[in-house]
Amino acid sequence: MGPQHPSTHGVFRMDIVLDGERVVGLKPVFGYLHRNHEKIGEGTSYLGSMPYTDRLDYFCSLTNNWAYALAVEKLAGLEVPERAQYIRLITAELTRLQNHACLGGFLLQDMGASGTPLMYAFRQREQILDLFESLTGSRMMCNYMRFGGCRCDLPPGWAGQAARVADEFPRFLDEFEALLNENEILLSRTQGVGVLPRDLAVNAGVTGPMLRASGVNYDLRKADPYGIYDRFSFRIPLGEHGDVYDRYRVRVLEMRESVKLLQQALRDLPQGPVIDPKAKLRGFRPKPGEAYARIEAPKGELGFYLISDGSPNPWRYRVRAPSLINLTVLEDLCRGHHVADVVVILGSVDIVLGEVDR
Amino acid sequence: MLGQGIIKGLAETARNFVGSYFKPERLVTVQYPEERLPPFEAARNFPFLVYDQNDTQQRLRCVACQICEKECPPQCIYIVKDTLKTPDYIGKPQFQPKTFDIDISVCMSCQICVEVCPFDAIKMDVAYELSTSDRFGQLLLHKEQLARSNQYYQKIHPAEAAEIDARLAAEKAKAQAKAEAQLKAKATALPGATATD
C-alpha cells in the first residue's frame, strides 16, 4: 500500500501481508522524503538550521522552532524575556489547536466522511494561520523564534484578535462534536479498532496524545515543565481503551485545554522586550558542550540534541521526532484488522512524513 | 435508536448550510482570481534590493559585503564585488555589487538575509503569481530584476520602512554634521600646523 496512496498522508509505503481481508503482518517502509535534515544541520550555522526546522513537521513549525531554540538556549545559557515566553506559549498552543483540528478532519476523511469535517476544521485553521501570517510573515514556514526570544514583537491588535479566535474556538468544537461524537458510523469504525495497550505504548516510547489515549498520564507540559507552563492551570485529558476513538477524543479534549491556556496567557501577557539583548544573530558560537531539550509538540515529545565543539555550526545535530517513534507500533495496532481499518489507524497515529523521514 | 447520531450530525450540517445564506461570517471562501485579500504587513515572499528614490543613478543600498551570501541557509545568493568604490548616501565611498543573483527556485523565503543585512539593503517582497515557463532563465534573478525603489518598499511595508528611513536620515544628518565639524577643525588647525612647521 503506497507510496502514492491518498490515505498515507504523504509518501509512505506499507508492506502488508494479508490473510483474506485480515492483516497478519505489516512493515512500514519510509525514507521517500528523506532530505538529510540532520546532516544539513551540522553543515549550516545555528541560525541557519532554524528555517529548516519549520520543514520537519510542517503543520507545527512554531513548536519545532521552540524545541530547537530551547536546545540552543540550553547550550549557550541564554535567558528568554518574560514577554517572549508568553508569546512562545501562545503561538505553541495555537499550533496545537490547528494541528488537532486538522487531524480530526483528516481522520474523518480517511473514514470516508468526504469533506465536511475537514472543511469545518480548515475554516477554523485558516483564522489561526492568518494570525501566524500577520505575526511571522508566513502561514506555515514561520521561522519566528530566535535564540533568546522571538524575532519581532506582536503587531498592534494581534493579541486582541488571538483572544477572539480563542474565545470562538469552543463554539467550533461544540459543532464538531455534535457532528461526530455520536455518529454510529464513526463509532463502529473506531471503537475497539487499533487498540494500543498501555504497557506496549510505554515500552515502544510512544508519546503525545497517542500515549495519553492509552491511559498513561504523561505530558511534558506537566511532567517536565518548560517555558512557563507551570504557571497556568490546565488538565491532561486521558483515554481509557487506547483505541482510535479514544485518540480522537483525547485530541478534542486537549483542544479545549489549549483554549483555556490561551485565554490565561493572553490575559496575563506582560510588556517588555522580546529578545535577550545578549543574544547575537551572526557569529554565534556556543561553548563546547551538549544539550538536549524537549517539548510537548502536538504529535508527542519533540527533542533536539546538540553537541557543540565551539565552532559556528553544531558538531552533532539530532532530532527525536515523535511521528517516527509513534509509527513503530503500527504493526501491533493493525494486526487482525481489515485493510480498511489500516487507513483509519494510520490516520489516528497522526504522522507527518516531513518529520518521519527528515 | 440507531441512526440518531447521524441525524444529529446532519442537523449540524444543515444549520451550517442554511446559515451560510444569512450570516456573512459563515461565508469564508474568497473567490480568488477575481477577489484578492490584501497582504499582511509582515508578509514575505522573495527578497529584493532597495535603492533610494531620490537617487537618479538608482544606487543600490547594497555594498556587496557578502554577509547574506554567507548566512543564507540554502546558499541561493551569488555576489561579485565591483572593483570601484562610489560614494553612498552619506558620501562614504563603498563597493557596489557587480553581480547580485538570487536563485528563487532555491530560496526558501526564510528572511535570514534581511535580518543579517547591516545596511537595510535587502528586503522581502510580497509579490506572488511568479510562475514562469522558463525554469533556468526566469527563476535566476539578476541585479536589475531584483532592484526596487524605496518607494515600493514604503508601499508594501509602511511601518518598517518609516522606521528605517528615519534611522538613515538621522545617520546622514550625523555624518554631515561630523563632516562639517571636521572641515571647521581643519580650517582652524591649518594655520597652527604651518606655524609649527
Side-chain angles (χ1 to χ4, degrees), chain A residues 335-357:
Chain A
R335 205 178 289 130
H337 290 293
H338 289 110
V339 184
D341 291 332
V342 172
V343 173
V344 178
I345 293 167
L346 181 68
S348 76
V349 175
D350 192 9
I351 55 162
V352 158
L353 267 296
E355 193 177 54
V356 173
D357 294 341

Side-chain angles (χ1 to χ4, degrees), chain A residues 82 85-86 228-233 264:
Chain A
E82 196 79 341
Q85 292 277 27
Y86 274 83
I228 47 167
Y229 275 107
D230 44 359
R231 292 186 203 170
F232 301 110
S233 74
Q264 292 172 50

Side-chain angles (χ1 to χ4, degrees), chain A residues 184, chain B residues 1-7:
Chain A
E184 283 82 4
Chain B
M1 189 190 87
L2 191 71
Q4 208 170 13
I6 295 178
I7 291 166

Side-chain angles (χ1 to χ4, degrees), chain A residues 44-45 47-48 51-52 55 116 120 123 130 133-138 141-143 146 151 171 175 178-179 182-185 281-282, chain B residues 1-6 8-10 12-13 15-17 26 28 40 42-44 67 71 73-74 108-112 115-116 118:
Chain A
T44 54
S45 64
L47 175 65
Y52 283 116
R55 277 113 181 129
T116 310
Y120 287 6
R123 191 175 62 194
D130 278 351
E133 192 178 1
S134 63
L135 174 60
T136 70
S138 185
M141 302 296 134
C142 296
N143 183 20
R146 291 287 173 271
R151 196 181 72 214
R171 230 185 75 205
E175 199 178 275
L179 181 67
E182 293 167 37
N183 189 312
E184 283 82 4
I185 303 171
L281 213 54
R282 282 175 50 223
Chain B
M1 189 190 87
L2 191 71
Q4 208 170 13
I6 295 178
K8 221 171 137 186
L10 281 175
E12 199 60 45
T13 327
R15 215 162 56 83
N16 267 278
F17 172 67
R26 281 199 184 272
V28 287
F40 290 102
R44 63 183 144 98
I67 288 173
E71 293 287 334
M108 60 183 191
S109 311
C110 66
Q111 212 180 11
I112 281 181
E115 279 168 65
V116 296

